[in-house]
Amino acid sequence: MTKPQATFAELAMAAFLDRVDLSAHGYYKTPEVGYDFVAQKGKPFHYFAYGVACSEVEVDVLTGDFTILRSDVLHDVGNSLSPSIDIGQVEGGFIQGVGLFMLEEMVWMKNGNLFTKGPSTYKIPSANDVPIDFRVR
């Protein structure tokens, strides 16, 4: 199909029917990064991030259920290109940490393999796990 006046939808359909992949893929390998865990030498990261968080949590001592009432997170992102995106990344990282340390249970099988290695076998954070008062700067 080589109609210059074709719509995007028509071009996408033509590509689909001709089995043409319209996606692009790319990879980036950070230069000069590597670490020898035995010798404990090397540069494991290209940069380091600095931040701190403090949370006020209410815990039901009978059930172990908890509610994060308030969390204050301060993260140094340097010279931000997009503050809105950076705040979203910091919020997402915080909630991933809540999931890792408060919700996930690592269950190991007798053969030594990890059983709980995907969202189908452990509880991932939901909107109910976000702090009621969530302050990120």
Side-chain angles (χ1 to χ4, degrees):
M1 171 181 233
T2 57
K3 295 187 334 189
Q5 69 276 14
T7 66
F8 181 76
E10 290 172 330
L11 292 172
M13 181 55 76
F16 174 76
L17 294 174
D18 287 341
R19 306 297 190 258
V20 175
D21 185 5
L22 295 179
S23 63
H25 308 276
Y27 297 94
Y28 176 76
K29 181 180 178 185
T30 305
E32 303 170 10
V33 172
Y35 191 76
D36 183 337
F37 286 94
V38 175
Q40 295 189 354
K41 292 185 179 184
K43 184 178 178 184
F45 309 104
H46 199 57
Y47 65 90
F48 293 89
Y50 298 95
V52 64
C54 183
S55 295
E56 179 183 350
V57 181
E58 184 177 79
V59 180
D60 182 328
V61 296
L62 297 177
T63 65
D65 286 344
F66 67 93
T67 301
I68 304 174
L69 302 174
R70 175 177 168 175
S71 290
D72 292 88
V73 182
L74 178 64
H75 192 78
D76 181 359
V77 298
N79 295 324
S80 177
L81 296 175
S82 178
S84 297
I85 290 177
D86 291 337
I87 287 172
Q89 290 293 307
V90 172
E91 289 171 341
F94 180 87
I95 297 302
Q96 282 184 329
V98 169
L100 175 62
F101 294 108
M102 301 301 293
L103 302 175
E104 294 179 21
E105 178 184 4
M106 301 194 63
V107 177
W108 299 88
M109 296 186 285
K110 289 184 181 182
N111 65 5
N113 290 331
L114 182 62
F115 175 73
T116 51
K117 56 183 173 185
S120 65
T121 54
Y122 65 79
K123 183 178 182 267
I124 59 175
S126 71
N128 293 331
D129 299 307
V130 175
I132 295 170
D133 184 359
F134 199 10
R135 303 175 189 202
V136 177
R137 297 199 198 303

